[in-house]
């Protein structure tokens, strides 16, 4: 029997496998699942008599390529291959050889899915590389999904936001095909796409009762009014991700109206387009309304700002739970975080200046009583302050990811001692994170030593004369 | 009759602590030390002029030191497999010695030569001296698998006996009656070639910042230890503006070529520590830098695909972008980020950059900004970096691009802030990018933000005399953190790693956006009556650190490799 062409998935792992091996595997799986299969393996017909639901169960455990091979065994298995249950989820991978190292879903398979299984599809995602062709191919597929009813749709740019390169009208018309036809869309991830206000209106008009998750970070064509329309109409919305410029007092009030279900997650990305950008503020009363309406909601904030752009943030209480500082953040702002973020659960600081964050951390430990995870990158903390911080937080610190360079040994603790001390307070073994030293065998003189050595004339000479 | 020996130099370009070399002269009538300018190592296209020069200087030095023992170095043009049979015959060889090479291609080459030698009736002696430990023993101790975290590696090491002491330096006394027959035309036939002979244009080539050779290496290690003794601080030195420059105590290229024995370094460090710290026993961290090298050698020794993403069981498959123009800008120091460009200029000019500078440019190329495959960066380092070693280079690139060894990935080095914190004045930038010399410290890391008047005063208009930044860093790092999260989320599902906390009650732990390749589990669950996808897969509210927690689950990585192998 000839092999099905065009099933490219996972080929490096299993393409070399021949059907008999698959059979063996199927047998093994079956027995694993303790399904009573008659042990007589004498005739093929025994296999054909395997009840469909068992076959389905087994097939669900096989990757597509193995299923394709198995489908060549007999007619029954071939029928099983096409059962709708096996086609509810599909991930289209659209890559071009010129822009990606990964294989793409074979065009023949895509054709087959559109022809035979598009009405079965419910959970669909598109992974698209950095090329515009791939993004356009995704739009082409989307616009052919006329007779399907999707529950989940994800458009994922795996390298660069390539959907932004597609002509907006092309993208919008493809997306609205899904919006109009699906009617019961519940999850939508369309980050970094040219989606706009009118298309969100179409979404709302058709899916307002079912929409529960909407991720649309960095969609420049959406306005605050556009997202407000979604919040006003989709009362079942539980998870929302957007950029700070779309966040408004009105939006928060809409999300906390009586008709609205409790929000579970709100993710806000604060990205500066150009240095010195001015950001608006959100009223404390709006946040208060949110917390009253959805007391358990997670507010996740990602900051990618220059240090001097933090002015409008953290001056009043914010119900933020997860806080990520992707660029340098000043000591002062972290001090304000310690005062105004009582719900803080998780904190990541990628970088800070060269002054130790001792008081700030202690303050955070004191005021943020929910804090259970912290990550520090290019920062400095003295070992004793860090131990104090860990002691104050104690065992609730379930994640503690600290670069080794962050910890500055002092009179109380050396680097070798600190992991014992911290482990003791955490009640589990803990080590700082390390980066490979990559063959550096240079004794450079540390800051402190330099400071010390400046008092000894002549001592730094060696360090300062690089070999000509 | 006393045997005639060949000692084959590859790495280990030294007379001190060279057990295989001692084996060659022991009781021998004649010894000839050979070095092949062999395409296995050379493949001249891939190696830059600085590395070639370093190698040739090492060979010159080796030859000079052998002369002191009335011997010479024989540089043989050709491939070992082609030339050895002739040499065996011509020189009536009965013994061949060389240092053990742990790298997969080296092992393959050596196995072939061993076979040749055996067929010619030549006895082969191989000794380990490029690494501190017998790597196979470490792997055996770990149940046959290489350790995939540095912590695990340290644990294994602490259970092994300490490394063997270095052996004596080859001397007249050790040579005994063993001689090297040298012909009149030795220089013509076996001399060390010049760069010109190898086809390099040396006009305008500045003098080497890192002179090659064992003699230099031994001077440096003394200086290095002197400095350490003076500082009396055995902790990892912290970064500052000075550490960015090549230091006369730097040792990494010498260890790479084996001009310096790692065991000699190890024991000298131990002695010094005992002396300074009054006989307290040294912590493992004292040898940190040596152990990292050992770690990568161990993980690579049985993995011929260690320098690739595809087919490499310990490497996560990340959908890197193919972008030759962007790669070229990075490699040629035209990114428009002075910090990155200065480092890449230093690398091209001198062949060495500080390890944190390596982190900065590697992060920028891969997960931080450009999202270009680590393999491309590794190749550029291979060409330019004096100490680039197959295992260490590939391992470090995988590490820094978060492709393996489960690193925290939340932290990306900022191409502006990182440099500014290290060298606030920007002297490093001015040294390597003279075009920016006129900029005040305030703008030297982000000159595109300087007002036009400042640019005019600096006689450098951004976009004309120096490129504009090739990416918007804030936007790029936002995107790339998301990409990284997607990948790790997908990974975390391989074994249904359900310990990641979930907040919603929706129950189903199935994936929405990453469905395929999850062998079964997700596919099996995909039929649950999901009304909407629970946040276990929505990135909203996914606590970033929960993914960072993956740091410890190299178990998971094993699972990943397992998936690839099936």
């Amino acid at each position: 029997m000839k092999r099905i062409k065009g099933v490219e998935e996972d080929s490096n792992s299993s393409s070399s496998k021949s059907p008999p091996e698959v059979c063996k595997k199927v047998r093994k799986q079956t027995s694993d699942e303790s399904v009573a299969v008659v042990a007589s393996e004498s005739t093929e017909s025994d296999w054909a008599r395997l009840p469909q639901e068992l076959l389905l169960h087994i097939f669900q455990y096989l990757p597509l390529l193995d299923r394709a091979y198995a489908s060549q065994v007999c007619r029954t298995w071939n029928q099983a291959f096409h059962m709708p249950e096996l086609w509810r989820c599909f991930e289209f991978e659209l890559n071009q050889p010129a822009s990606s190292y990964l294989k793409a879903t074979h065009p023949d398979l895509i054709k087959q899915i559109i022809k035979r299984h598009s009405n079965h599809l419910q959970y669909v995602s598109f992974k698209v590389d950095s090329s515009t062709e791939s993004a356009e191919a995704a739009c082409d597929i989307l616009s052919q999904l006329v007779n399907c009813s999707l529950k989940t749709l994800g458009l994922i740019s795996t390298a660069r936001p390539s959907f932004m390169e597609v002509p907006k009208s092309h993208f919008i018309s493809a997306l609205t095909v899904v919006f109009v036809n699906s009617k019961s869309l519940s999850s939508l991830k369309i980050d970094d796409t040219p989606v706009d206000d009118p298309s969100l209106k179409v979404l709302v008009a058709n899916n307002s009762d079912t929409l529960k998750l909407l991720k649309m970070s960095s969609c420049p064509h959406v306005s605050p009014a556009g997202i407000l329309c979604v919040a006003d109409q989709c009362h079942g919305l539980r998870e929302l991700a957007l950029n700070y410029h779309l966040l408004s007092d009105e939006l928060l009030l809409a999300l906390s109206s009586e008709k609205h279900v409790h929000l579970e997650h709100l993710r806000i990305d604060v990205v500066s387009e150009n240095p010195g950008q001015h950001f608006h503020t959100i009223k404390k009363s709006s946040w208060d309304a949110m917390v009253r309406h959805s007391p358990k909601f997670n507010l996740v904030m990602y900051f990618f700002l220059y240090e001097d752009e933090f002015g409008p943030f953290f001056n009043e209480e914010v119900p933020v739970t997860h806080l990520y500082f992707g660029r340098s953040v000043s000591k002062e702002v972290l001090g304000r975080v310690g005062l105004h973020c009582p719900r803080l659960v998780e904190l990541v600081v990628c970088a800070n200046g060269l002054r130790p964050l001792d008081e700030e951390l202690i303050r955070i430990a004191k005021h943020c009583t929910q804090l259970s995870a912290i990550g520090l990158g290019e920062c400095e903390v003295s070992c004793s302050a860090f131990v104090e911080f860990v002691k104050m937080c104690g065992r609730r610190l379930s994640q503690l990811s600290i670069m080794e360079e962050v910890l500055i040994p002092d009179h109380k603790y050396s680097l070798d001692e600190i992991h014992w001390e911290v482990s003791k307070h955490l009640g589990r073994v803990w080590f700082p994170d390390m980066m490979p030293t990559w063959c550096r065998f240079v004794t450079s003189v540390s800051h402190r030593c330099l400071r010390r050595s400046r008092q000894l004339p002549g001592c730094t000479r060696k360090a300062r004369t690089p070999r000509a | 009759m006393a045997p005639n020996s060949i000692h084959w130099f590859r790495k280990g370009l030294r007379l001190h602590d060279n057990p295989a070399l001692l084996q060659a002269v022991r009781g021998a009538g004649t010894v000839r030390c050979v070095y092949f300018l062999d395409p296995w190592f050379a493949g001249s296209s891939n190696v830059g002029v600085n590395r070639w020069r370093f190698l040739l200087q090492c060979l010159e030095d080796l030859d000079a030191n052998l002369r002191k023992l009335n011997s010479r170095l024989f540089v043989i043009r050709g491939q070992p497999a082609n030339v050895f049979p002739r040499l065996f015959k011509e020189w009536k060889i009965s013994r061949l010695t060389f240092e053990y090479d742990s790298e997969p291609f080296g092992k393959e080459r050596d196995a072939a030569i061993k076979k040749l030698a055996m067929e010619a009736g030549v006895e082969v002696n191989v000794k380990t001296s490029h690494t501190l430990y017998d790597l196979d023993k470490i792997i055996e101790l770990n149940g046959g698998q290489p350790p995939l975290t540095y912590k695990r590696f340290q644990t294994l090491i602490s259970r092994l006996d300490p490394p063997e002491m270095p052996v004596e330096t080859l001397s007249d006394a050790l040579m005994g009656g063993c001689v090297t027959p040298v012909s009149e035309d030795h220089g013509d036939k076996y001399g060390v070639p010049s760069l010109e002979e190898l086809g390099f244009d040396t006009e305008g080539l500045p003098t080497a910042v890192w002179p090659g050779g064992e003699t230099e290496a031994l001077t440096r290690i003394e200086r290095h230890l002197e400095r350490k003794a003076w500082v009396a601080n055995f902790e990892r030195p912290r970064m500052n503006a000075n550490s960015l420059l090549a230091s006369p105590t730097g040792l990494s290229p010498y260890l790479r070529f084996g001009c310096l024995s790692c065991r000699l370094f190890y024991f000298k460090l131990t002695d010094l520590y005992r002396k300074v710290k009054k006989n307290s026993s040294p912590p493992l961290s004292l040898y940190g830098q040596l152990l990292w090298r050992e770690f990568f050698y161990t993980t690579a020794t049985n993995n011929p695909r260690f320098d690739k993403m595809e087919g490499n069981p310990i490497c996560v498959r990340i959908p890197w972008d193919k972008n030759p123009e962007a790669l070229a800008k990075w490699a040629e120091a035209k990114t428009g980020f002075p910090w990155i460009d200065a480092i890449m200029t230093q690398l091209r000019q001198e062949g060495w950059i500080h390890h944190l500078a390596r982190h900065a440019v590697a992060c920028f190329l891969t997960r931080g900004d450009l999202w270009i495959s680590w393999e491309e960066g590794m190749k550029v380092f291979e060409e330019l970096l004096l100490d680039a070693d197959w295992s260490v280079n590939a391992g470090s690139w995988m590490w820094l691009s978060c492709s393996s060894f489960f690193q925290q990935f939340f932290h990306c080095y900022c191409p502006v802030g990182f440099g500014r914190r290290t060298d606030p004045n920007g002297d490093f930038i001015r040294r390597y990018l003279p075009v920016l010399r006129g900029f005040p410290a305030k703008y030297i890391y982000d000159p595109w933000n300087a007002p036009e008047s400042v640019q005019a005063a600096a006689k450098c208009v951004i976009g004309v005399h120096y490129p504009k930044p090739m990416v918007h860093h804030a936007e790029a790092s936002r995107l790339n953190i998301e990409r990284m999260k997607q990948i790790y989320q997908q990974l975390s599902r391989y074994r249904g790693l359900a310990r990641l906390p979930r907040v919603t009650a929706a129950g189903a732990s199935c994936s929405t956006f990453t469905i395929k390749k999850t062998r079964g589990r997700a596919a099996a669950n995909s039929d649950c009556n999901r009304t909407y996808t629970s946040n276990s897969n929505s990135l909203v509210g996914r606590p970033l650190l929960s993914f960072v927690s993956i740091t410890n689950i190299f178990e998971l990585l094993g699972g990943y490799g397992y998936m690839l192998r099936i």
Side-chain angles (χ1 to χ4, degrees), chain A residues 9 13 25 88 91 93 97 130 152 186 192 218 239 264 267 302 324 378 401 403 405 439 445, chain B residues 238 240 252 321-322 370 408 410 421 478 482 485 504 512-513 516 519 527 530-531 538 543 566:
Chain A
E9 289 204 335
S13 61
K25 189 190 227 160
R88 296 216 172 131
E91 184 177 79
E93 290 191 76
S130 62
T152 287
S186 77
D192 299 295
S218 294
E239 301 192 18
E264 289 170 4
R267 168 170 167 171
Y302 278 59
Y324 176 90
E378 291 162 53
S401 189
M403 298 290 283
E405 287 97 332
C439 265
V445 185
Chain B
R238 301 188 77 81
N240 63 51
S252 59
D321 196 14
K322 271 190 200 168
L370 301 185
Q408 63 174 8
F410 67 74
R421 268 188 299 279
R478 183 192 69 79
E482 282 307 300
K485 273 171 60 180
T504 53
T512 346
F513 305 125
K516 203 207 61 188
R519 274 186 105 80
D527 254 280
R530 285 185 304 183
T531 49
S538 84
I566 283 189

Side-chain angles (χ1 to χ4, degrees), chain B residues 138 147 149-157 291 294-295 298:
Chain B
I138 301 176
T149 64
Y150 185 61
K151 273 277 157 281
R152 175 78 192 146
F153 176 77
Q154 284 179 315
T155 313
L156 295 169
I157 292 293
L291 294 184
E294 207 82 356
F295 171 64
T298 312

Side-chain angles (χ1 to χ4, degrees), chain B residues 539-552:
Chain B
L539 302 180
V540 192
R542 162 51 55 216
L544 199 62
L545 284 167
S546 307
F547 290 100
V548 178
S549 73
I550 295 177
T551 35
N552 288 330

Side-chain angles (χ1 to χ4, degrees), chain A residues 9 12-13 25 60-61 66 85 88-89 91 93 97-102 123 125 127 130 152 154 156-161 186-187 189 192 212-213 215 218 238-240 264-265 267 269 271-273 275 298 300 302 304 322 324 327-328 346 348 350-352 354 373-376 378 380 399 401 403-405 407-409 416 431 433-445 447-450 453 459 462-463 466-467, chain B residues 150-151 209 211 216 220 224 226-228 230-231 235-240 243 246-247 249-252 255 265 283 285 289-290 292 310 317 319-322 354-355 358-359 369-371 373 376 381 393 396-397 399-400 407-408 410-411 413 418 421 449 472 474-475 477-479 481-483 485-486 490 503-504 512-517 519-520 523 526-527 530-533 535 538-541 543-545 548-549 564 566:
Chain A
E9 289 204 335
N12 65 333
S13 61
K25 189 190 227 160
Q60 281 173 336
Y61 279 85
D66 288 350
E85 289 83 351
R88 296 216 172 131
C89 288
E91 184 177 79
E93 290 191 76
S99 46
S100 173
Y101 298 88
L102 303 184
Y123 312 101
S125 61
K127 282 196 166 174
S130 62
T152 287
I156 301 169
S157 314
T158 58
R160 301 268 144 230
S186 77
S187 302
K189 174 179 156 58
D192 299 295
K212 296 191 165 74
L213 176 150
K215 286 206 64 190
S218 294
R238 298 183 194 185
E239 301 192 18
L240 180 61
E264 289 170 4
H265 295 283
R267 168 170 167 171
D269 283 22
V271 187
S272 88
E273 307 296 328
N298 286 321
V300 184
Y302 278 59
F304 297 93
H322 299 78
Y324 176 90
R327 305 183 78 168
S328 191
E346 194 168 296
V348 175
C350 286
N352 171 260
L354 277 177
I374 186 160
L376 300 176
E378 291 162 53
E380 292 201 350
Q399 307 286 340
S401 189
M403 298 290 283
E404 198 187 29
E405 287 97 332
L407 301 169
I408 312 294
D416 285 321
F431 287 100
D433 291 340
M434 289 199 273
M435 289 297 256
T437 36
W438 201 330
C439 265
R440 183 190 48 146
F441 302 93
V442 182
T443 44
S444 58
V445 185
H447 287 301
R448 270 161 299 283
C449 291
L450 265 182
S453 64
C459 280
K462 254 188 193 167
R467 241 193 135 77
Chain B
Y150 185 61
K151 273 277 157 281
V209 176
E216 172 73 18
R220 276 169 179 256
H224 182 99
E226 236 171 70
R227 170 76 54 77
K228 262 209 155 68
W230 174 69
V231 175
E235 272 147 15
R236 178 189 289 209
R238 301 188 77 81
M239 176 111 166
N240 63 51
S243 36
S247 152
T249 62
L251 299 176
S252 59
L255 282 156
F265 187 31
S285 61
Q289 297 141 332
L290 280 174
W292 274 107
E310 286 297 333
R317 292 170 82 235
W320 301 116
D321 196 14
K322 271 190 200 168
H354 186 274
H355 87 287
R358 297 173 197 205
H359 294 185
D369 290 273
L370 301 185
W371 201 253
S373 170
E376 303 295 340
F381 272 28
N393 195 22
S396 304
W397 272 98
W399 187 296
L400 292 171
Q407 259 305 295
Q408 63 174 8
F410 67 74
H411 163 233
Y413 291 99
F418 182 32
R421 268 188 299 279
N449 285 332
H472 186 301
E475 187 57 27
S477 53
R478 183 192 69 79
L479 281 167
I481 277 278
E482 282 307 300
R483 312 273 173 271
K485 273 171 60 180
Q486 272 168 28
Q490 194 164 358
V503 191
T504 53
T512 346
F513 305 125
T514 47
I515 300 152
K516 203 207 61 188
K517 282 183 198 149
R519 274 186 105 80
S526 64
D527 254 280
R530 285 185 304 183
T531 49
Y532 88 110
T533 53
N535 73 317
S538 84
L539 302 180
V540 192
L544 199 62
L545 284 167
V548 178
S549 73
L564 280 181
I566 283 189

Side-chain angles (χ1 to χ4, degrees), chain A residues 252 256 283-293 317 319:
Chain A
L252 290 178
S256 37
K283 289 195 194 105
K284 183 171 178 297
S285 56
S286 314
W287 284 126
D288 288 346
M290 271 296 294
V291 178
R292 267 198 308 277
H293 180 72
E317 200 170 293

Side-chain angles (χ1 to χ4, degrees), chain B residues 367-536:
Chain B
R367 67 195 171 90
D369 290 273
L370 301 185
W371 201 253
I372 288 175
S373 170
W374 59 270
E375 287 178 54
E376 303 295 340
M378 180 192 69
K379 286 179 205 155
V380 172
F381 272 28
E382 206 167 83
E383 178 196 340
L384 300 177
L385 194 63
L386 291 176
D387 60 43
D389 214 346
W390 188 78
S391 312
V392 180
N393 195 22
S396 304
W397 272 98
M398 270 193 274
W399 187 296
L400 292 171
S401 62
C402 287
S403 295
S404 194
F405 311 114
F406 285 95
Q407 259 305 295
Q408 63 174 8
F409 61 83
F410 67 74
H411 163 233
C412 290
Y413 291 99
C414 172
V416 174
F418 182 32
R420 188 174 274 156
R421 268 188 299 279
T422 310
D423 174 22
N425 215 13
D427 294 336
F428 176 73
I429 308 276
R430 292 192 190 88
R431 182 185 176 110
Y432 291 101
L433 300 176
V435 63
L436 297 173
R437 212 169 259 169
F439 275 96
K442 187 178 178 212
Y443 293 112
I444 195 145
Y445 286 96
D446 54 348
W448 61 90
N449 285 332
E452 273 172 38
S453 59
V454 174
Q455 298 188 23
K459 296 197 183 68
C460 174
V461 177
I462 301 307
V464 180
H465 305 106
Y466 180 75
K468 288 182 178 160
M470 65 185 292
V471 286
H472 186 301
H473 172 70
E475 187 57 27
S477 53
R478 183 192 69 79
L479 281 167
N480 293 345
I481 277 278
E482 282 307 300
R483 312 273 173 271
M484 226 57 215
K485 273 171 60 180
Q486 272 168 28
I487 291 148
Y488 274 65
Q489 269 174 321
Q490 194 164 358
L491 264 181
S492 69
R493 226 171 279 119
Y494 270 94
R495 275 197 187 164
L497 201 83
R499 65 194 182 108
L500 304 179
R502 278 214 321 273
V503 191
T504 53
S509 69
C510 6
S511 64
T512 346
F513 305 125
T514 47
I515 300 152
K516 203 207 61 188
K517 282 183 198 149
T518 51
R519 274 186 105 80
R521 190 53 46 90
N525 283 349
S526 64
D527 254 280
C528 315
N529 296 325
R530 285 185 304 183
T531 49
Y532 88 110
T533 53
S534 90
N535 73 317
S536 67

